[in-house]
Amino acid sequence: MEEKSILIQRKYGAVRLRLAEIMDNRGMTRNQLSRLTGTRYEVIHKWYGGKVEKLDLDVLARICYVLDCEVSDLLVYEEAEE
């Protein structure tokens, strides 16, 4: 089995947030999600724009609860093209 390491310079893919897609499909605004989750607008705005560097699991749980969705609906791993 090939050993995987991120220390070797290569493309290892990325995790993409699908929050904007889900919210847009449901007609929900960032203000609404912010209010319903009890999360600051700025935090929701970062999630919506896919600009989150570190996941806050509490925020993720709140979003999943309010949107009635699974974590796998919001986060998608995309392998890098070689």
Side-chain angles (χ1 to χ4, degrees), residues 47 52 54-64 71 75:
W47 279 71
V52 177
K54 294 181 182 181
L55 292 180
D56 181 328
L57 297 180
D58 184 58
V59 171
L60 181 59
R62 292 180 201 190
I63 291 171
C64 287
V71 171
L75 302 175

Side-chain angles (χ1 to χ4, degrees), residues 8-81:
I8 299 171
Q9 285 192 328
R10 70 167 104 177
K11 296 180 182 178
Y12 52 86
V15 174
R16 185 173 64 84
L17 293 170
R18 297 187 57 239
L19 182 60
E21 286 176 55
I22 293 170
M23 289 175 60
D24 292 348
N25 288 339
R26 297 179 185 199
M28 181 177 281
T29 67
R30 286 169 277 181
N31 279 323
Q32 288 172 317
L33 186 60
S34 174
R35 250 190 346 273
L36 292 170
T37 60
T39 306
R40 291 179 327 156
Y41 176 85
E42 295 80 15
V43 172
I44 296 300
H45 181 70
K46 281 185 178 182
W47 279 71
Y48 183 88
K51 304 277 193 249
V52 177
E53 293 177 16
K54 294 181 182 181
L55 292 180
D56 181 328
L57 297 180
D58 184 58
V59 171
L60 181 59
R62 292 180 201 190
I63 291 171
C64 287
Y65 177 79
V66 168
L67 295 178
D68 190 28
C69 67
E70 300 291 324
V71 171
S72 60
D73 296 328
L74 293 171
L75 302 175
V76 178
Y77 172 69
E78 296 176 344
E79 290 189 28
E81 295 180 21

